[in-house]
Amino acid sequence: MASLIGETVFESNGQAPAPSKDFYQLVITKKEVIWRFWKISLRSEFRNTNPGELRETHKEYLDDSSLQAQIATVLGANIVSYTLNLCRGNFDYLERLPDALLLYLILYLDLEDVAQLSQTSRRFEKLCSSDALWERIVENSCDTITPEMRALSKELTDLQDYTDYIA
């Protein structure tokens, strides 16, 4: 499972709450937490401010409540909670699996479970509502799909693509 983890474990960016226009980036690697910030201001005292970067080991980040508060302000408390878990070594391997493999696994779920899974994250919502998944569910559920039905489905899909293209 460790091979699923790349050098960059997590990355997110955001803009500070209004009225600030400051930009922030958070990168979690296997060994450290990197917090980058760019002051964007029309005020003369910040005009010559260079972008900054703060690097901490995972252990240092776990103890740095000040940095955690900054990240919570910009990216939200859920991101802080997630990054704390990453720094403790609690990786979310399911989120790192490729879409094709996840679709294959979802096929084994009951339809009620697919509906519940779709509410857990944006990624699973996208996967659970994808045409690829539902086409395979219908294929697995219906024994009577004939080649003519497949051809008609393809024609209708092509026609829809064409009307979307010209619209």
Side-chain angles (χ1 to χ4, degrees), residues 12-25:
S12 183
N13 54 55
Q15 188 174 344
S20 176
K21 299 289 184 196
D22 301 346
F23 181 79
Y24 295 89
Q25 180 187 36

Side-chain angles (χ1 to χ4, degrees), residues 143-163:
D143 297 334
T144 58
I145 297 178
T146 65
E148 293 82 19
M149 293 171 77
R150 288 186 197 281
L152 179 60
S153 173
K154 171 105 173 82
E155 287 178 28
L156 291 174
T157 302
D158 291 344
L159 179 62
Q160 182 63 46
D161 291 344
Y162 176 73
T163 56

Side-chain angles (χ1 to χ4, degrees), residues 73-87:
T73 301
V74 176
L75 302 176
N78 290 341
I79 296 293
V80 172
S81 176
Y82 184 69
T83 58
L84 290 172
N85 279 322
L86 290 176
C87 291

Side-chain angles (χ1 to χ4, degrees), residues 111-127:
L111 294 180
E112 295 83 13
D113 296 331
V114 173
Q116 289 180 343
L117 180 64
S118 72
Q119 297 174 8
T120 60
S121 71
R122 287 187 184 116
R123 182 175 184 206
F124 282 119
E125 191 273 329
K126 181 180 170 194
L127 287 172

